[in-house]
Amino acid sequence: MDLILETDRLILREFKLSDAEAFFAMDSNPKVHQYLWNKPVQKMEETIEIIEFVRKQYIENGIGRFAMISKDTNEFIGWAGLKHNTEKVNNKINFYDIGYRLDEKFWGKGYASEATFAWLKYAFETMNIKTIEAAAHTENVASNRILQKIGMQMTEQYLEDGISWNWYQLDNNNNF
């Protein structure tokens, strides 16, 4: 993909294998995975497999999660983006979801909101997606706040493997 999105502080670009070290540092942190099944990656090979999987999604679905890079420092902050979900989640399949994950040292600085606003604009204006969906662990206050801040509406709660999640939706009303 030749897609690059920019915000005031971020460059959002496709993942590269050169992101693996910083991605591994983020994804091996148990705090980052507190609300993600508590399964941080253990080996660099897992991170490389994730990057290869996401890169395959670019080809198969025309979209995927993108690396989030600081314009000021050129540091890997985390990832954000759209995913065409082809697996069943909350009894739904074949939908677009918006998501993000940040390295702990970048939490609380507004990067996830900034990136997701850019992705919503791209989804609605360029891809003409009708509805964006997202899920956040019920107890993950920060993630729920981000989804609400970008205008998503919680439509229901559901259980997955005994864990409570909030389900969010936002319809494309061409208001961007």
Side-chain angles (χ1 to χ4, degrees), residues 95-146:
F95 61 91
Y96 287 94
D97 102 341
I98 195 162
Y100 40 83
R101 186 173 306 162
L102 275 71
D103 189 314
E104 183 182 8
K105 65 185 172 186
F106 298 106
W107 291 357
K109 299 179 192 280
Y111 292 120
S113 298
E114 188 173 326
T116 51
F117 272 122
W119 279 112
L120 280 178
K121 183 174 171 47
Y122 182 81
F124 289 158
E125 290 183 354
T126 304
M127 294 180 71
N128 201 29
I129 293 172
K130 300 297 179 217
T131 302
I132 297 290
E133 312 207 40
H137 190 289
T138 303
E139 296 175 11
N140 188 340
V141 174
S143 192
N144 282 280
R145 189 177 304 126
I146 290 163

Side-chain angles (χ1 to χ4, degrees), residues 6 9 15 28 32 36 40 48 68 71 77 79 81 84 87 98-99 112 124 128 131 135 142 149 159 165 175:
E6 288 192 42
R9 302 180 295 164
F15 272 109
S28 62
V32 171
L36 300 169
I48 292 169
M68 195 183 316
K71 282 184 173 179
I77 291 174
W79 59 255
H84 182 251
E87 298 171 7
I98 195 162
F124 289 158
N128 201 29
T131 302
K149 183 177 181 180
L159 290 176
W165 296 84
N175 290 343

Side-chain angles (χ1 to χ4, degrees), residues 79-94:
W79 59 255
L82 303 170
K83 177 181 179 184
H84 182 251
N85 204 319
T86 57
E87 298 171 7
K88 190 182 276 190
V89 179
N90 190 21
N91 293 316
K92 295 168 179 40
I93 197 163
N94 288 322

Side-chain angles (χ1 to χ4, degrees), residues 38-87:
N38 287 310
K39 294 182 181 177
V41 295
Q42 303 294 316
K43 299 177 183 171
M44 179 65 79
E45 291 78 23
E46 294 174 81
T47 300
I48 292 169
E49 287 175 14
I50 293 167
I51 291 172
E52 289 172 346
F53 177 77
V54 171
R55 291 184 60 78
K56 187 176 171 193
Q57 289 179 337
Y58 300 154
I59 296 163
E60 293 176 354
N61 302 319
I63 201 68
R65 310 299 198 198
F66 274 43
M68 195 183 316
I69 308 297
S70 166
K71 282 184 173 179
D72 289 342
T73 65
N74 206 33
E75 283 180 278
F76 176 92
I77 291 174
W79 59 255
L82 303 170
K83 177 181 179 184
H84 182 251
N85 204 319
T86 57
E87 298 171 7

